[in-house]
Amino acid sequence: RLRLAWLAQVSPTCGGLTECEAQLRAALDEIIAGGAGSGTGSTKRTKLATAKKEAAATGKVERDVLVKLCVFLCQEGRDSEAAPLMLRGGWRHRLARCVLRYPLPNQTQQVEEFQDVAASQGLPVKAFDGALPEDMLASLRKVFAPEALFWKEHRYNSLSKCMSEDVGYFSYTHKLEEVPCQTSLDVAIRHILDVAKTSFPELKEARF
């Protein structure tokens, strides 16, 4: 149901995963067809500013559709179908298959087998479903929303979206001392650490 609700953000009328996929593909086909015109007739009469605005809006819709469709296909194990779509979206790297396609909690035997394989391979990364409480997740989404003050105050480059115009790429050092939390971010970091310790007990030695 959660997957369906997420996919339906782009295809609000879909009634199931198969229908959502069909609608997403139809939307993508329509966008691609619309961008392949010859530029004659009314298109030539469109003012440049309006054309740029429409192109930007179309590009955002296309990216939203591609994100939904690529994630859906990867979760279904249909990596070969997702690959050309990811390239179209400009992506060159993706999460490992075991992160996006994994057994559900009600598939007990598959879950146990998956955990055994992960443990035997000594994977350095683990994904936790529902790791953050809803209120904490909502707070972090607000703090790091695209229009949030965080990006302006750190003068993030408006094009690259990944580094400050003053100092380039940077990261904060955060002490993990057993002291009262001062901010909501402190609370979130402490919670994430506690969750991670369940799979990586060596983190009890972490100091930063």
Side-chain angles (χ1 to χ4, degrees):
R1 287 197 301 270
L2 289 175
R3 289 179 66 197
L4 182 58
W6 184 69
L7 291 170
Q9 292 174 4
V10 171
S11 302
T13 62
C14 65
L17 293 177
T18 301
E19 188 178 348
C20 270
E21 179 188 356
Q23 291 192 18
L24 288 168
R25 287 188 179 278
L28 183 60
D29 289 342
E30 184 177 341
I31 291 170
I32 293 174
S38 60
T40 60
S42 61
T43 302
K44 282 188 175 180
R45 295 192 296 270
T46 303
K47 293 181 179 180
L48 181 59
T50 302
K52 286 183 176 180
K53 184 177 180 180
E54 291 176 350
T58 300
K60 183 180 186 303
V61 173
E62 179 181 358
R63 190 168 184 83
D64 289 344
V65 170
L66 284 171
V67 168
K68 299 288 192 300
L69 192 52
C70 287
V71 171
F72 170 78
L73 292 172
C74 289
Q75 289 178 329
E76 293 294 303
R78 295 155 60 185
D79 300 324
S80 60
E81 295 179 57
L85 297 176
M86 287 188 284
L87 290 175
R88 179 177 177 83
W91 298 295
R92 297 295 182 269
H93 304 279
R94 53 158 288 182
L95 292 172
R97 182 184 178 119
C98 62
V99 175
L100 291 173
R101 181 168 174 78
Y102 51 87
L104 300 174
N106 60 345
Q107 299 169 312
T108 306
Q109 183 176 353
Q110 293 183 42
V111 170
E112 293 175 349
E113 292 174 354
F114 177 83
Q115 291 175 337
D116 290 342
V117 170
S120 66
Q121 294 180 351
L123 298 178
V125 178
K126 181 175 180 178
F128 296 89
D129 277 337
L132 297 178
E134 285 296 328
D135 57 341
M136 185 180 293
L137 182 59
S139 175
L140 291 175
R141 282 175 171 165
K142 182 177 180 180
V143 170
F144 297 110
E147 68 281 1
L149 287 176
F150 175 88
W151 312 109
K152 295 178 182 178
E153 291 178 350
H154 288 78
R155 287 175 49 78
Y156 257 60
N157 186 284
S158 59
L159 295 178
S160 69
K161 302 291 186 183
C162 65
M163 60 183 179
S164 167
E165 294 181 350
D166 296 324
V167 298
Y169 179 79
F170 70 95
S171 182
Y172 282 105
T173 298
H174 192 92
K175 292 184 178 181
L176 299 176
E177 300 174 343
E178 291 294 334
V179 296
C181 296
Q182 302 294 319
T183 68
S184 58
L185 189 58
D186 290 337
V187 175
I189 291 174
R190 185 72 55 80
H191 177 80
I192 293 171
L193 179 62
D194 290 340
V195 171
K197 284 179 181 177
T198 62
S199 294
F200 303 98
E202 60 271 24
L203 285 176
K204 66 179 184 294
E205 302 297 333
R207 295 293 177 266
F208 298 94

